[in-house]
Amino acid sequence: MSLGREIRMQIVDRSMHARVGHIGSALSVADMLAALYGDVLGREEPQGVDRDRMVLSKGHAALALYAALVATERLDTSALDRYCADGSMLGVHPEHVVDGIDFSTGSLGQGLPVAAGAALAARLQRSARRAFVLMSDAECNEGSVWEAAMFASHHRLANLIALIDVNGQQALGYTRDVLDCEPLAERWRAFGWDVHEVDGHDAEAISATIHALDVEHGPPHLLLCRTTFGKGVSFMESRIEWHYLPLDAEQHARALAELRA
Amino acid sequence: MRAAFASALTRLAEEDERVVLLTGDLGFMVWEPFAERFPDRFLNVGVAEQNMIGLATGLAEAGLRPYCYSIATFASLRPYEFVRNGPILHQLPVRIVGVGAGLDYGHNGVTHYALEDVAVMRAQPDISIVAPADPDQAVAALREVHELPGPTYLRIGKEPGVVPGLEGRFRLGGIETIGDGGDAVVVALGTMARDAIRAAELLRESGVDTTVAIVSSVRPSPAEELSDVLQRADLAVTVEAHYVDGGIGSLVAEVIAEHGVDCRLVRCGIREMPRGLTGSPDYLKGRLGLDAESIADAALRALERA
């Protein structure tokens, strides 16, 4: 089974048992996280100072991150068994106290500034480590994203690699209707970034694009990953309500059956 | 105080290569020596305070010691949620340096007055809050907080005046006292210490023996030492270039209540947003009841000696 499919099965399963939502957002980043955790990110010790840093800035997709960490043996599966249980460290949004998670997130617009700081630290400390950040397209509504975008290109942070999950949806509607952020590629290029457009459900293409980046010289990098919200579960795909809705037992069975097929 | 602080931080950067200075495009005629000496560790991030705190979070997580400099309102209020979810949540040694305590930016108007910076930082657990009273104490405080493992908010004044008798003493979690009168204690937040000392002199002339307690370490809380001083007095007058709610007026009220101290409290501070009110800091203090005469009058009224 592909890592992306493994992550999706966990998302559907765990969210049903925890009776929580944000399922569609998690499904849309499954293949991006599969590329990062299955291939791109190194396997250094979780506390090693020279490890790559990764910020899941769209913190509401944390379940996909937990699933990726478990599937790649960075996090014990017993921790995921307690997802959203009373007293669990694994909530809907990720916290840095969990093994394998570098930064706590959940408030949109904070991840890129932090990742830029992590990239800048590597430069000051003459470390080869890279800083990754995964944002949502609607997150670009936040002004702080553009503060950091300006800073990173001005300072030529070549070791900063941002991925945006362009699923075209946000909490209450389609991004084009709520606050249109397109043309994203032109906007980010105008801010001085090295922009690549990729299929956000093609983990191999995402990996290959990242491996080909010059992370020592030049501008910071952005992968605009075009995705389908709710990818892999037909009744969720591109449906606004699955930003928040939890699954019932019948929907859960249908979703798992589709993912197994 | 600002110049002394800048010199001390530059010296600290000589000794500690983890020191990185970020500024939100402020510090003309302040940071040039640092920038020339450490060009790689001086970053003018532009007018972008949210990003500044986010950057500092990433820098500190990697083991560096970022100092983030701006005018106190811009340093504390604009990026507040970044402070909360960054250095406080991650327990990282980010230093937020807000210049312009209270009314220091008098002619610039209310957008530049830091009137609630201490209150909003007090609302967060796990961030040290330090408001030095004069240049020597600012230098001592910088040395004290530099090695703290968690975040710190430093409220730095602009004026060069020295507090007589303080001699640069500073202790985290402590207060510094001037005099030992038993009738009243005037509790001053940081830069209000000199006005408090002048008020205490006026009170002594009126027959009220007065102690001045200078609060520069707001957190760690000086509650124990404050309690000891308050136990010995009939009246406490708090003096702060800050709104009365959330600053040391509130702190002293909490100490009195929680320690069961039998002491009357009068809070001198700012009670309404000073819209359309500009002028020199001394002028503003007079208008807002924070000059020595107003402080002494408030004490005498409470003691029914006015």
Side-chain angles (χ1 to χ4, degrees), chain B residues 103 105-111 113 270 272-280 283-289:
Chain B
L103 303 161
Y105 276 96
H107 292 288
N108 291 278
V110 68
T111 56
Y113 303 162
I270 297 159
E272 292 180 359
M273 191 177 227
R275 297 179 182 84
L277 181 62
T278 68
S280 69
Y283 168 81
L284 293 173
K285 282 188 233 174
R287 281 287 300 270
L288 296 166

Side-chain angles (χ1 to χ4, degrees), chain B residues 128-145:
Chain B
S128 306
I129 306 165
V130 173
D134 73 1
D136 291 345
Q137 198 188 41
V139 172
L142 173 61
R143 293 267 161 190
E144 282 288 308
V145 304

Side-chain angles (χ1 to χ4, degrees), chain A residues 29-146:
Chain A
V29 298
D31 303 301
M32 298 162 71
L33 291 173
L36 289 174
Y37 287 93
D39 178 55
V40 171
L41 292 168
R43 300 296 312 217
E44 293 87 356
E45 288 297 304
Q47 303 304 323
V49 75
D50 281 321
R51 73 191 189 281
D52 289 330
R53 299 300 197 275
M54 163 64 192
V55 189
L56 181 69
S57 195
K58 54 171 289 182
H60 52 287
L63 179 52
L65 173 60
Y66 303 146
L69 292 172
V70 167
T72 58
E73 298 180 341
R74 289 172 166 94
L75 176 68
D76 199 274
T77 189
S78 64
L80 192 52
D81 290 341
R82 304 200 65 247
Y83 174 64
C84 287
D86 288 347
S88 173
M89 288 194 294
L90 272 59
V92 171
H93 301 92
E95 295 214 32
H96 66 289
V97 292
V98 175
D99 288 345
I101 295 179
D102 295 323
F103 293 98
S104 300
T105 55
S107 176
L108 296 173
Q110 298 192 335
L112 188 61
V114 171
L120 180 64
R123 173 183 291 177
L124 291 171
Q125 295 170 322
R126 295 181 174 77
S127 166
R129 64 180 178 265
R130 302 163 295 177
F132 293 86
V133 56
L134 198 169
M135 297 183 282
S136 80
D137 47 359
E139 188 174 357
C140 297
N141 294 176
E142 295 278 6
S144 54
V145 169
W146 301 101

